[in-house]
Amino acid sequence: LDSVMCEYNTAIEGGVLFAFNLVYIKVLCSKFTRNKANEFGSIGGSVFGLDSISNVEIKSSSFHGNMAGSNGGVILASEITDFTINASMFANNRAKAHGGFVSGKLILFLEIISSTFANHSSKQYGSIIYLSESGTVLIAWSRFAGNSAKKGSCLYLYGSHQSKQISIISSNFSSNYASKGGGDLYVMQYIAVILFKCFFNKSLTISGEGGSAVFQTVKHVKICNTQHKYSIAMNSHGGCLFAYATKSLLIKNSSFHRCHSGQKGGGLFLGGHEKTECLINIENVTFIQNLAKSEGASFYIKMISNITVVSNKFIHNFAYESGGAFSVFLSPYYMSEIIIMACLFHGNVAKRAASTMSI
């Protein structure tokens, strides 16, 4: 499809195109506006219904105001080997269930480059992308703003035994909202997640964990050269990040500024499984004016075996109970240790106990 304009088309599935068992689909310099997958009892995919396609490429195209009465506001996809999105614009697409832009299963490789996603919505998970049994994901030089969903306002990715890695590079997340957790990202069952040179700003969740992100049963997490500002988990843990059952986590050369949690971990809540050894390394990270309504204004770490905190700055953080800078609860199942070296603690406050560290 080259230089195609499609608008106000309606179908039960695939308002513009339904394709099955093809080798290659390419969409170039095209525009899709206000197409619908029938609002009542529909399958989904207001523009494309794709099944068993080897390669899908969308480049230099725009999708605006498309809607599905079920899953996949724009695309409903299954069994895609390679899915690439490049230099495209997506705005105001919505789904009444999952995936305001794409709802998919068994997409083995997803690549998003230099694209913008704004003001998407879904009533369930992933207002932009919802993937079950998803594979490797690469996102670079892209922008996500003003999106909303129940969980994972931008991305909800549920992995499988084939799910190796999610890499998000030089991308911007701003003013996204999830009512039940993961204001920007919700990721489950992956081997690794990498965030590099990203910016997260004004992310919000009301009743769930992780104002910006939830990583659950992700084995390895690396966050480097990334900034987080004004992320809020209004009534739960992890104002910015909530990570659980992770084997290793590295946060380096990053910052957390004015993040807020209604319970533990104003910036971060990091929880390990009680019988799984876990390593945490926080290095050259700045925590400024973060707030926790319970413990651990900058971060709260629970059931972790080995923690290294090196060359960090904790400035004017506030906890209503304890751990004005941070709180740590080490695992009793291992020979646990915590190393704190070359850190600055200035002006941190806890109302009840431990204005700096609670261990």
Side-chain angles (χ1 to χ4, degrees):
L1 300 176
D2 191 347
S3 303
V4 171
M5 180 179 291
C6 298
E7 55 187 19
Y8 299 98
N9 300 287
T10 302
I12 293 177
E13 180 180 5
V16 173
L17 172 68
F18 180 83
F20 173 75
N21 201 23
L22 296 178
V23 174
Y24 192 71
I25 292 177
K26 184 173 184 178
V27 179
L28 180 64
C29 300
S30 295
K31 185 176 181 180
F32 302 86
T33 305
R34 299 190 182 280
N35 300 285
K36 284 186 179 182
N38 190 356
E39 189 168 354
F40 301 102
S42 66
I43 299 171
S46 67
V47 178
F48 300 130
L50 307 176
D51 193 350
S52 301
I53 312 295
S54 295
N55 294 278
V56 177
E57 181 180 2
I58 297 172
K59 186 174 182 180
S60 302
S61 297
S62 69
F63 296 77
H64 184 273
N66 302 286
M67 188 275 288
S70 183
N71 299 314
V74 174
I75 297 172
L76 185 66
S78 179
E79 297 188 35
I80 310 297
T81 303
D82 196 330
F83 193 163
T84 302
I85 300 167
N86 196 345
S88 294
M89 172 72 187
F90 306 85
N92 299 102
N93 302 296
R94 60 193 176 96
K96 287 197 171 181
H98 303 302
F101 165 59
V102 60
S103 178
K105 181 179 180 180
L106 291 171
I107 295 178
L108 298 185
F109 181 75
L110 173 65
E111 181 180 84
I112 299 173
I113 305 295
S114 302
S115 295
T116 297
F117 299 84
N119 302 318
H120 290 72
S121 66
S122 69
K123 291 189 176 181
Q124 294 299 319
Y125 302 162
S127 76
I128 296 170
I129 295 172
Y130 170 88
L131 299 181
S132 62
E133 299 182 53
S134 52
T136 300
V137 177
L138 171 63
I139 299 172
W141 305 292
S142 294
R143 179 175 175 265
F144 303 81
N147 305 289
S148 63
K150 183 181 287 187
K151 287 186 178 181
S153 72
C154 297
L155 310 175
Y156 185 96
L157 305 173
Y158 193 104
S160 70
H161 65 282
Q162 301 179 48
S163 302
K164 294 182 179 179
Q165 183 169 298
I166 299 168
S167 301
I168 303 178
I169 300 167
S170 300
S171 294
N172 187 309
F173 295 79
S174 179
S175 301
N176 299 300
Y177 163 76
S179 61
K180 299 289 186 179
D184 296 304
L185 315 171
Y186 204 108
V187 180
M188 299 178 68
Q189 294 189 12
Y190 262 80
I191 293 174
V193 173
I194 297 172
L195 305 180
F196 181 69
K197 288 188 176 179
C198 292
F199 180 63
F200 294 85
N201 184 43
K202 296 181 180 178
S203 307
L204 172 65
T205 186
I206 298 297
S207 61
E209 297 89 1
S212 178
V214 171
F215 299 142
Q216 189 167 337
T217 57
V218 175
K219 289 184 179 179
H220 308 288
V221 177
K222 292 183 180 180
I223 301 173
C224 298
N225 301 89
T226 292
Q227 298 180 55
H228 305 81
K229 288 187 175 182
Y230 308 108
S231 294
I232 298 173
M234 187 69 73
N235 295 300
S236 192
H237 307 300
C240 180
L241 171 64
F242 179 92
Y244 175 75
T246 297
K247 287 190 174 181
S248 72
L249 186 144
L250 169 67
I251 303 176
K252 187 174 182 179
N253 301 332
S254 298
S255 65
F256 296 84
H257 184 197
R258 291 194 175 183
C259 299
H260 174 174
S261 77
Q263 294 187 33
K264 297 175 181 178
L268 312 169
F269 182 101
L270 310 175
H273 191 276
E274 61 182 17
K275 294 185 180 180
T276 300
E277 192 169 9
C278 181
L279 308 176
I280 301 291
N281 192 332
I282 300 173
E283 182 178 345
N284 195 29
V285 178
T286 301
F287 298 90
I288 301 178
Q289 295 180 321
N290 299 289
L291 182 146
K293 286 287 185 72
S294 179
E295 302 176 55
S298 296
F299 56 79
Y300 179 89
I301 297 178
K302 180 180 180 181
M303 301 299 289
I304 303 297
S305 52
N306 291 278
I307 303 164
T308 303
V309 180
V310 178
S311 300
N312 302 294
K313 296 178 181 179
F314 302 87
I315 301 171
H316 294 298
N317 301 289
F318 182 89
Y320 275 72
E321 294 186 11
S322 61
F326 60 81
S327 293
V328 174
F329 179 76
L330 294 169
S331 173
Y333 295 95
Y334 296 94
M335 188 66 71
S336 301
E337 69 173 359
I338 178 169
I339 298 172
I340 302 169
M341 185 184 302
C343 293
L344 169 67
F345 298 90
H346 176 77
N348 302 289
V349 176
K351 272 193 170 182
R352 183 171 62 85
S355 63
T356 301
M357 294 171 275
S358 175
I359 299 174

